[in-house]
Amino acid sequence: MTDAGNVRIDAGLLDRSIVLVGLMGAGKTSVGRRLARELGLPFLDADEEIEAAAGCSISDFFELHGEAEFRAGERRVIERLLTGPVCVLATGGGAFMDPATREAIRRHGISVWLRADLDVLVKRVGRRNNRPLLQGGDQRRILQDLMTTRYPVYGQADVIVDSCDGPHDDVVRDAVVRLSAFLAAAPDAGAPAAP
Ligand code: S3P
């Protein structure tokens, strides 16, 4: 459990999960896993849960059913995860762009945008070759276009944390500080209403 500033993050969550959003390569899974450990919360990865539910990889899912079906499945899985026990949840890069998924995150979570610049994203996505949106094109160009359309929407997140090219632990520390500040300033903003 973390006591950063004078707000205990675990107590301040009021039944809300911490939901990491941001582009491919922003570090949502790596940072999320570490953040969960730091806060003593379970960690879940939406993409992994979608793969488990679908019984196939995300690349295969895109190929077999297309992006629209993927977004519908993603919406269902994220809604289910967010109505379960409080956790740190890493979402796929397109999740927060879907209005219904964004609304579910707003109702049940505190969103944290891991913002990264283009060079960092390009460097990180180059390590894996399993992202359907980056197949068969110039990755830098695709990411640049996605930044243009998505960054204004990611900017609606409750908390923004810069994901720099340094150690992930530095990003986790910054996330804890900013989450504490957010909870101190608006402790129950967006928290589900009491029955
Ligand atoms: C996507 C990002 C991927 C995955 C899918 C679509 C996107 O997740 O959900 O390939 O639309 O940006 P990561 O952001 O974890 O790579």
Side-chain angles (χ1 to χ4, degrees), residues 22-26 28-29 45 47 50 58-59 62 67 70-71 74 90-95 97 125 128 130-134 146 150 154:
L23 261 187
M24 297 171 272
K28 300 178 296 279
T29 301
D45 183 276
D47 283 348
I50 294 165
I58 287 178
S59 297
F62 263 71
E67 182 169 354
F70 173 76
R71 296 300 169 203
E74 179 175 57
T91 62
M97 298 302 294
V125 298
R128 278 164 48 199
N130 59 349
R131 292 177 165 108
L133 296 187
L134 298 179
L146 288 172
R150 291 183 176 183
Y154 293 155

Side-chain angles (χ1 to χ4, degrees), residues 23-28 30-31 114-128 131 134 139-140 143-144 147 151 161-168 171:
L23 261 187
M24 297 171 272
K28 300 178 296 279
S30 313
V31 169
L114 288 189
R115 180 172 60 187
D117 69 29
L118 185 58
D119 286 339
V120 170
L121 297 172
V122 171
K123 181 172 161 192
R124 292 198 188 137
V125 298
R127 294 180 192 146
R128 278 164 48 199
R131 292 177 165 108
L134 298 179
Q139 297 196 337
R140 174 173 283 272
L143 285 166
Q144 174 77 78
M147 284 173 84
Y151 274 24
V161 175
D162 282 311
S163 181
C164 313
D165 198 19
H168 285 311
V171 183

Side-chain angles (χ1 to χ4, degrees), residues 54-101:
C56 68
S57 70
I58 287 178
S59 297
D60 287 346
F61 195 100
F62 263 71
E63 209 170 306
L64 288 169
H65 308 290
E67 182 169 354
E69 265 306 300
F70 173 76
R71 296 300 169 203
E74 179 175 57
R75 199 179 303 134
R76 283 193 297 273
V77 166
I78 289 178
E79 178 89 42
R80 168 171 60 78
L81 298 176
L82 287 178
T83 49
V86 167
C87 66
V88 174
L89 175 65
T91 62
F96 202 63
M97 298 302 294
D98 181 273
T101 304

